[in-house]
Amino acid sequence: MDRYAVIGNPIAHSKSPQIHAAFARQTGQTLSYEALLAPLDGFVRAVEDFRAEGGRGMNVTVPFKLEAFALSTRHTPRAELAGAVNTLAFGDDGILGDNTDGAGLVRDLIVNLGCTLGGRRVLVLGAGGATRGALLPLLDCRPATLVVANRSPAKADELVALFTPHAGRAALAASSFDALAGHGFDVVINATSASLSGALPPLPSGLYAPGALAYDMMYGRGDTPFMAAARTQGAARVADGLGMLVEQAAESFTLWRGVRPDTAAVLAELRRQLDAG
């Protein structure tokens, strides 16, 4: 039986085994999928052991995505630009590193939420790894404007410089949080980790255009702090990142197995479980 796993530290909370087991049942694929806790200083050894035991691929979560990039012998273009890997595929020719996070985000926005990105004004909050993984897939959707805003504008400037050759006709720009006041974006994506600690990015007023969507990459039971604040600040719709989690998993599954699962039922079940507490 083909073996797959998700590796991280911590890992007990991961929903990936449940998600991939559901994908396998749905598509008639025979495989096993487990969660592996790697020591903080033992990621490479854990991957090599799993591969030597016949493993075919792995998902990689915090804090090992940079190490996974370094371990990969070749990268997909989106992983190369992201500088981080969340999906490993083992083959006779080495280790392929991919980054499915941005593709999962875009698919959740467009397919699950019915959000148009082409020709829209898009704002991404934060300039860390989550943003870096999302920018190329977002730019591929041809927004009119894509602004990266960060508490430290210099980090946003670095990302804009890196991705400008891939911007096409989109106006790609960096910004501080303060300078966003009154700009009226159609889609605002929170890629900061603020919601994990119950905090909020220091955002000005006038951020949301009529009909705007506020999207938090984090998820939990009920609204995240960012979503709750967006409701009061004029966002017409809010959404969390649970759909992104499922869709990035589907991207990995498709890479490994050559068949794309239907995510709707899996997402609905996870949402039911989350809401039930």
Side-chain angles (χ1 to χ4, degrees):
M1 180 182 294
D2 291 342
R3 293 180 62 200
Y4 299 89
V6 58
I7 186 170
N9 186 328
I11 201 61
H13 67 287
S14 176
K15 300 184 185 302
S16 293
Q18 177 185 350
I19 292 170
H20 284 276
F23 288 164
R25 288 192 300 270
Q26 180 196 111
T27 58
Q29 299 285 305
T30 302
L31 57 86
S32 67
Y33 190 105
E34 61 201 271
L36 292 179
L37 176 68
L40 293 177
D41 60 352
F43 170 75
V44 172
R45 176 65 181 271
V47 172
E48 289 175 344
D49 287 348
F50 183 77
R51 187 184 183 195
E53 293 164 2
R56 297 287 303 276
M58 303 181 86
N59 287 124
V60 182
T61 187
V62 294
F64 299 126
K65 293 183 180 183
L66 297 182
E67 286 187 74
F69 182 89
L71 182 63
S72 303
T73 55
R74 56 195 179 93
H75 305 96
T76 62
R78 59 193 182 188
E80 191 71 48
L81 272 173
V85 158
N86 79 332
T87 303
L88 299 171
F90 306 135
D92 295 336
D93 57 347
I95 302 175
L96 174 66
D98 194 8
N99 189 310
T100 66
D101 286 331
L105 165 67
V106 165
R107 191 168 177 88
D108 189 34
L109 287 168
I110 294 174
V111 177
N112 299 329
L113 298 172
C115 176
T116 301
L117 295 173
R120 310 295 292 281
R121 292 176 51 81
V122 178
L123 169 65
V124 182
L125 303 171
T131 296
R132 187 162 170 156
L135 284 183
L136 183 61
L138 286 171
L139 288 168
D140 285 344
C141 294
R142 300 181 179 180
T145 302
L146 200 162
V147 174
V148 179
N150 196 56
R151 190 184 301 266
S152 168
K155 287 192 67 177
D157 286 333
E158 291 174 8
L159 280 189
V160 167
L162 178 65
F163 282 87
T164 291
H166 307 275
R169 295 183 179 178
L172 179 61
S175 176
S176 65
F177 288 140
D178 290 343
L180 298 171
H183 278 247
F185 292 92
D186 302 304
V187 182
V188 178
I189 300 168
N190 180 27
T192 74
S193 59
S195 289
L196 288 176
S197 58
L200 283 170
L203 300 176
S205 60
L207 208 60
Y208 299 100
L213 169 68
Y215 186 100
D216 197 338
M217 286 189 181
M218 304 299 161
Y219 65 89
R221 187 180 182 186
D223 283 355
T224 66
F226 171 77
M227 292 163 62
R231 289 185 191 276
T232 67
Q233 294 168 356
R237 292 196 296 158
V238 299
D240 69 10
L242 188 64
M244 176 181 172
L245 173 71
V246 175
E247 295 296 345
Q248 65 81 23
E251 287 283 323
S252 298
F253 191 91
T254 304
L255 173 69
W256 292 329
R257 308 302 295 181
V259 57
R260 174 173 287 279
D262 182 358
T263 56
V266 179
L267 176 55
E269 175 59 18
L270 283 178
R271 180 69 68 190
R272 185 194 67 77
Q273 293 175 9
L274 195 63
D275 290 345

